[in-house]
Amino acid sequence: MSLVENLKWRYATKKFDASKKIAAETLEEIKTAIQLSASSYGLQLYKIIDVQDPELRKKLQAAAWGQSQIVDASQLFVFTTPTTVTAEHIEEFVQLTADTRGLDPAVLNDYSDFMKGALLKQTEEGAKNWMAKQTYIALGNLLAAAAELKVDACPMEGFDAAQFDEILGLEGWTTSVIATLGYRHEEDGMQHAAKVRKAKSVLFETK
């Protein structure tokens, strides 16, 4: 089945079957897809928390309008970003690039300076918005990979980020977006609803 057919199959699952869990090897494939996501400058200024503790999930459910996906889905992924961009983030990435490609870090000094010049001058709000956008690119990879593997998923913005941060004990990091993954419950009526999308003639314009 093609990617397009799999994307037609997927939908934002509202009711998960709590008895069905994602196999370890399937979960690793989804994590790899997230790991391989594109990100601005390649920095990947985010961390994904795989929340497995049931009690922690219950607390997070209360901070997510009581939505059942939080506790019923096989996995709860919480995408987090640093509260600010620092020179250390850039220097760590430069060192990783040098180590991965067998380079002297000094040859990347100009690139490092360029990134620092572009990113460190952002306002706090600008940096927060920029980093949040990067998590949504990774979320897109998650959704596509899950569809390919016939795993149901639901991207979610309905939660209180400050409460999530407190419950998860985040320091220097903040919640950006969350996603639940697992397998649809047979009682989830949304799986039978026709997918509503704008026509391509409306979405695309040629000039």
Side-chain angles (χ1 to χ4, degrees), residues 15-91:
K15 185 176 178 60
F16 285 90
D17 187 334
S19 69
K20 295 182 178 180
K21 304 300 180 184
I22 301 173
E25 59 271 20
T26 301
L27 186 59
E28 281 306 306
E29 285 197 63
I30 293 172
K31 288 182 177 180
T32 299
I34 297 171
Q35 178 192 30
L36 294 173
S37 295
S39 73
S40 186
Y41 301 102
L43 280 168
Q44 292 183 294
L45 286 182
Y46 46 79
K47 178 168 59 177
I48 300 95
I49 302 173
D50 181 3
V51 184
Q52 300 184 13
D53 182 86
E55 292 305 314
L56 206 52
R57 291 255 203 124
K58 287 180 183 178
K59 293 178 182 178
L60 293 172
Q61 182 186 25
W65 306 345
Q67 295 177 89
S68 64
Q69 299 100 309
I70 301 294
V71 293
D72 289 341
S74 174
Q75 313 299 135
L76 168 61
F77 279 4
V78 178
F79 288 77
T80 69
T81 61
T83 53
T84 186
V85 184
T86 67
E88 288 73 22
H89 290 136
I90 295 169
E91 289 160 6

Side-chain angles (χ1 to χ4, degrees), residues 121-134:
K121 66 181 181 183
Q122 295 184 99
T123 64
E124 181 177 339
E125 188 65 23
K128 178 182 177 181
N129 290 337
W130 173 74
M131 287 188 287
K133 289 178 181 179
Q134 308 310 307

Side-chain angles (χ1 to χ4, degrees), residues 41-43 45 85-98 101 103-121 130:
Y41 301 102
L43 280 168
L45 286 182
V85 184
T86 67
E88 288 73 22
H89 290 136
I90 295 169
E91 289 160 6
E92 287 173 4
F93 171 69
V94 167
Q95 187 62 55
L96 176 61
T97 301
R101 296 177 175 173
L103 302 172
D104 180 344
V107 305
L108 299 171
N109 282 346
D110 287 346
Y111 187 46
S112 177
D113 291 342
F114 172 75
M115 286 189 286
K116 289 176 181 177
L119 300 176
L120 300 185
K121 66 181 181 183
W130 173 74

